[in-house]
Amino acid sequence: MVRKNQPIIAVLVIVLMMMLVLGGCASKTPGDTAGKAGSEVVLGYVGPMTGPSATMGIATKQGAELAIEEINKAGGIMGKTIKFVTRDDEADPTKSKTAVQELIDKEKVQMMIGQPNSTCVAASEDYVNQNKIIQILNIATNTPLVNVEKYPYTFRTFFPSPVQAEALVNIAKKAGFQKIVLLGDTTALGNDGIASLQAACKADGITPVEAITYKSGDADMTPVAEKIKQAGADCVLAWTLGADGAKIVSALSRIGYMDKLIYLGYTGLSLPNFRELAGDGIDRCYTITGFWSVDKAAGATQLDKARQELYDKIVAKYGKYGPGGRTTAPQMVASGYEAVYLYKWAVETAGSFDPDAVKNTLETKISEFPLKVGTADTYRFSPTNHEAISGKDLVPVLLDPMLTTDKIFGDVYIRGSFTK
């Protein structure tokens, strides 16, 4: 009896084994959301939570956490709860690379918000793209970080160096400045900024009187200020981070030259330490931004509706800006917030977590993205371009004072204009 049933049992065993194999293969099909582990989708972020760049790192984390809290309360992304894993890289590229690899290998992240510091992104970007992780850069500006051929899964929603340089040069040209000095440190960030400014000047038919470089972190910036004075500058186009820029402005004031020029800097000047350390010369300092600014001269007293609503959420969750309160800039918080919603929208529009499907959606359907809380209202991704913003989206804004009304508590920029 047993011998008669042996062939039947053998066939049943073979069939069962085939079903298990086929089932296992099916669960690994790219884009099959049911195949993802558990009921979570893992988003990752590595950034400086401590050290000189901490305000940028914390701002991105705050924005992402605010978005994730809202999304999870509303049911997650395609029914999956978002798990958010973060690491502090202290703006150190080596630590950053190790942390990113850990999030990919151990935490199995499916999307990364890119580090604020360009050098940190550069250290890990190859690994991120080799593993087909969708990466959204919301602050880092260095030009080579976004390259469709080399880094096909990296997108940037912030303005890169060439875009900022184009805006700075256009503003200076329209204002009628004749003796423009370019200024930047000797790091990769500063070199990229100087090169971008030089290219923008050439495109606009402008010849700067001098390009001055300095070592970031130097305690005494008086020699830099003296070089600016000797060049007879009426405008400095500065690629300086907050603390360095503040020391240079303070030095220009000490030698009695700050009132002879306009100091117009890239977005590194938006760091709070610039306003805290620059001194009286800050009233002749400007930076550039997009829609997170208010045209007070036109009678505006608050941001547009969507950004104002988000600003109110930021204040409600993280407090007012100022001593003992929030130290992060609302537009930076907004950029982290938007990055999460951008990924959610792309996944749901694609109907899949598959990175190639998400990538294709970002490249071909970005005009349908409904959230308008970032630097610009129109993003320009395409299969050949992963940069969202152009120089036309940027305007000059005062660094002092900031707007203060019943709704705005002193950390939203006022649009500014000037002539030579």
Side-chain angles (χ1 to χ4, degrees), residues 63-333:
E65 288 175 337
L66 180 57
I68 289 166
E69 181 181 334
E70 293 177 354
I71 292 168
N72 282 342
K73 283 183 179 178
I77 302 177
M78 289 179 61
K80 289 181 176 285
T81 300
I82 300 174
K83 177 184 177 182
F84 190 43
V85 289
T86 67
R87 298 289 186 274
D88 179 8
D89 65 8
E90 303 174 44
D92 181 310
T94 302
K95 292 180 180 179
S96 191
K97 182 178 181 180
T98 300
V100 168
Q101 290 177 346
E102 179 188 353
L103 294 194
I104 292 173
D105 295 340
K106 295 182 179 180
E107 299 289 350
K108 306 301 181 184
V109 297
Q110 292 157 261
M111 175 267 195
M112 291 281 298
I113 302 176
Q115 306 93 306
N117 300 87
S118 294
T119 53
C120 292
V121 177
S124 59
E125 194 170 16
D126 281 327
Y127 198 72
V128 170
N129 279 266
Q130 287 165 10
N131 284 275
K132 294 188 174 185
I133 306 298
I134 295 295
Q135 181 181 49
I136 297 175
L137 305 183
N138 66 310
I139 293 179
T141 62
N142 208 321
T143 307
L145 299 179
V146 175
N147 181 318
V148 174
E149 296 299 323
K150 191 174 181 180
Y151 307 121
Y153 298 94
T154 297
F155 295 79
R156 177 157 39 202
T157 57
F158 199 59
F159 15 86
S161 299
V163 167
Q164 294 200 48
E166 175 193 349
L168 291 170
V169 171
N170 286 341
I171 291 165
K173 183 179 181 180
K174 288 179 182 178
F177 293 111
Q178 301 298 313
K179 294 185 176 181
I180 297 173
V181 165
L182 310 183
L183 178 65
D185 63 36
T186 54
T187 66
L189 174 69
N191 290 334
D192 184 50
I194 290 283
S196 297
L197 287 169
Q198 289 171 329
C201 284
K202 184 177 181 180
D204 255 343
I206 293 173
T207 303
V209 294
E210 193 168 351
I212 298 172
T213 60
Y214 64 92
K215 185 179 178 181
S216 180
D218 277 353
D220 183 10
M221 293 293 184
T222 304
V224 179
E226 291 287 359
K227 287 181 181 180
I228 293 171
K229 181 179 179 179
Q230 290 166 11
D234 58 7
C235 177
V236 173
L237 297 185
W239 218 271
T240 54
L241 289 172
D244 287 340
K247 284 187 279 188
I248 293 169
V249 168
S250 181
L252 284 165
S253 296
R254 282 199 309 273
I255 66 172
Y257 199 71
M258 191 62 209
D259 61 350
K260 304 292 194 302
L261 54 75
I262 290 294
Y263 194 91
L264 176 59
Y266 97 117
T267 51
L269 295 192
S270 65
L271 293 174
N273 54 8
F274 181 83
R275 283 166 42 217
E276 292 165 4
L277 302 173
D280 294 340
I282 196 171
D283 63 355
R284 297 184 65 81
C285 297
Y286 296 76
T287 188
I288 48 176
T289 191
F291 283 71
W292 276 85
S293 58
V294 173
D295 191 353
K296 193 175 180 181
T301 58
Q302 60 180 30
L303 298 162
D304 61 78
K305 186 175 184 294
R307 290 176 178 85
Q308 185 63 48
E309 287 178 354
L310 177 55
Y311 181 87
D312 292 340
K313 290 179 184 178
I314 292 169
V315 172
K317 187 168 182 64
Y318 300 115
K320 298 180 181 180
Y321 180 87
R326 176 170 47 86
T327 60
T328 51
Q331 63 268 29
M332 288 185 179
V333 178

Side-chain angles (χ1 to χ4, degrees), residues 14 56 122 172 282 316 352:
I14 291 170
M56 293 191 296
I282 196 171
S352 172

Side-chain angles (χ1 to χ4, degrees), residues 380-400:
R380 298 171 175 83
F381 296 144
S382 74
T384 58
N385 173 48
H386 286 187
E387 298 281 13
I389 299 170
S390 83
K392 296 177 182 178
D393 299 314
L394 305 179
V395 295
V397 293
L398 300 163
L399 279 158
D400 184 67

